[in-house]
Amino acid sequence: MTRYAGSRAVVVGQEPGIALAIAKRLVEGGAEVLLTVGGQEERARARTELGSAARLVVLAPSAAPGDRGALAGELGRWGGTGEDGGADLLFAGAVDTARPLLPWVRDGGAVVLTSPVPPDTAASNTAVSDTAASDTAVGALASELAGRGIRVNAVAPGCIEAPPAGAVPLPPLGRLGSAEEVARAALFLATDATFTTGARLPVDGGLGRRP
């Protein structure tokens, strides 16, 4: 499978299961991948899943957005910035995570952010505000980068399978989703939705639509 052959992708600041699922699909499609991991345990898991096909950078989850020297050094190995080098695709956990890396995204590339669905969208005014703020941030960055031809979109995962942490209400579809399903949505926005920018795609089994 060579769907992503010739593409370079950075996956940074995501929930570990989602990040690994995105990186795995990219690697299987022939892309060059740079993946950040939160520690040696995550590094070992990623190496087992991805083999030597991806470059791994250990980056503590608590690292400030600007404290990414090791990551910038790895990106520098891909050459220049903007049109002449860097990454075609950037998958990042938030705008603040993505912003220091934008100089290394090629003109005409794509950025996909992760904007989780608030835990109680229907009942909480705060949750509604958080959702609106996420939409605003995605739209603002999309407008900022439109001049470079870079599309910016977000996936909004909710009710995704995770290690046991108590009962989780099921969404209208009646089951929990998987990191693989989030990865497929993220890659759709990154590579197939070529005339879409500023959008936020829920991947939540209908949770956000519940009355």
Side-chain angles (χ1 to χ4, degrees):
M1 181 176 173
T2 58
R3 181 174 185 181
Y4 308 120
S7 296
R8 293 170 170 173
V10 178
V11 185
V12 57
Q14 304 270 357
E15 187 279 327
I18 293 173
L20 186 56
I22 292 172
K24 188 172 183 178
R25 290 189 69 85
L26 286 164
V27 165
E28 289 172 348
E32 292 183 62
V33 176
L34 178 58
L35 169 67
T36 63
V37 293
Q40 295 304 322
E41 184 176 343
E42 284 184 28
R43 182 187 179 92
R45 179 187 174 197
R47 186 59 70 204
T48 298
E49 292 281 341
L50 304 174
S52 60
R55 288 152 56 191
L56 306 178
V57 176
V58 176
L59 188 67
S62 59
D67 186 20
R68 302 181 183 274
L71 181 55
E74 288 292 320
L75 284 167
R77 293 171 57 185
W78 277 344
T81 59
E83 184 178 0
D84 300 323
D88 302 284
L89 309 173
L90 171 60
F91 300 86
V95 172
D96 287 348
T97 305
R99 186 168 293 284
L101 305 177
L102 294 178
W104 280 276
V105 178
R106 288 178 177 173
D107 295 351
V111 176
V112 179
L113 306 171
T114 302
S115 176
V117 171
D120 190 3
T121 302
S124 169
N125 289 332
T126 301
V128 172
S129 297
D130 287 345
T131 303
S134 298
D135 289 344
T136 299
V138 173
L141 190 61
S143 296
E144 178 182 333
L145 296 180
R148 292 178 56 194
I150 296 175
R151 295 176 295 105
V152 180
N153 295 292
V155 289
C159 293
I160 303 302
E161 291 175 341
V168 178
L170 294 177
L173 282 183
R175 64 174 179 85
L176 297 180
S178 68
E180 171 67 18
E181 288 172 308
V182 179
R184 289 201 298 267
L187 283 162
F188 165 75
L189 290 174
T191 62
D192 291 329
T194 54
F195 200 55
T196 301
T197 193
R200 184 171 176 272
L201 176 62
V203 187
D204 62 2
L207 177 69
R209 304 293 296 177
R210 177 176 283 165

